[in-house]
Amino acid sequence: RPLGEPLTAHTAAVWSVEFSPDGHTLASAAQDDTVVLWNVADPARPHRIGEPLTGHTEGLWDLAYGPDGRTLATTGADHSVRVWHLPDSVLTDFTNPLTSVAYDPRGRLLAAASTDDALVRLWDVGRPGQPRPLPRPLSGHGAPVLATAFAPDGRTVASGAEDGTLRLWDVSDPARPAPA
């Protein structure tokens, strides 16, 4: 059953929602280029926190909280991943729209999936404000990659593609990822 009235703040389709690790905050990402944070500590009385996060120039597709709960990564059609943390970071070496983003459980690796080139790129985000792309993207899908997730141990990345396939990747050595 619904827990009250719908939450409204976006002016376009909402493509992704995620609870913070403590469950008190909900982030929503939409095609209106914004992220809205909601206080959901009392689910019957949720309310918006501050102004929307802006910076992307085209619609957002996905977001993910870091394990610390103070870092949020967003991705979308503007070929970038934004890491929202003071200071915020923008990962911009992408040439294709991005569909999914995921943190490893320790918050040190970030995986971002893209559409046109069917790759998953890994970033070392262990040093706040100094993200570093890793040299070898995860390749092998024959269609746009739409979803990514890290296993709880952080050693495996799963990716799902538009053609219905899933792949598992061993990233225990992030500089040398391999099919699992």
Side-chain angles (χ1 to χ4, degrees):
R1 65 181 170 86
L3 294 174
E5 296 300 316
L7 303 177
T8 58
H10 292 289
T11 60
V14 175
W15 278 55
S16 184
V17 294
E18 177 139 352
F19 286 98
S20 62
D22 68 3
H24 295 162
T25 305
L26 178 69
S28 57
Q31 290 295 295
D32 64 4
D33 309 343
T34 66
V35 174
V36 176
L37 300 176
W38 305 90
N39 181 329
V40 293
D42 178 358
R45 292 179 194 75
H47 60 275
R48 194 169 85 178
I49 301 170
E51 292 299 314
L53 303 177
T54 61
H56 281 282
T57 58
E58 292 184 43
L60 281 82
W61 287 346
D62 200 16
L63 53 80
Y65 273 100
D68 64 4
R70 296 176 313 215
T71 307
L72 184 70
T74 58
T75 188
D78 66 355
H79 311 261
S80 70
V81 172
R82 286 192 177 266
V83 178
W84 305 91
H85 188 71
L86 295 176
D88 68 340
S89 300
V90 180
L91 312 181
T92 58
D93 82 330
F94 304 100
T95 57
N96 298 297
L98 301 162
T99 55
S100 182
V101 63
Y103 274 102
D104 81 320
R106 297 178 306 146
R108 296 179 183 237
L109 285 179
L110 185 70
S114 64
T115 57
D116 297 344
D117 62 6
L119 296 175
V120 176
R121 288 175 176 76
L122 297 175
W123 286 76
D124 177 346
V125 292
R127 295 173 57 190
Q130 298 178 346
R132 184 177 57 86
L134 296 177
R136 293 180 51 196
L138 309 179
S139 62
H141 279 290
V145 180
L146 303 176
T148 57
F150 274 90
D153 66 5
R155 300 174 65 124
T156 306
V157 171
S159 57
E162 191 173 87
D163 62 4
T165 62
L166 298 168
R167 288 188 167 272
L168 298 176
W169 309 94
D170 179 350
V171 294
S172 53
D173 179 357
R176 292 178 187 79

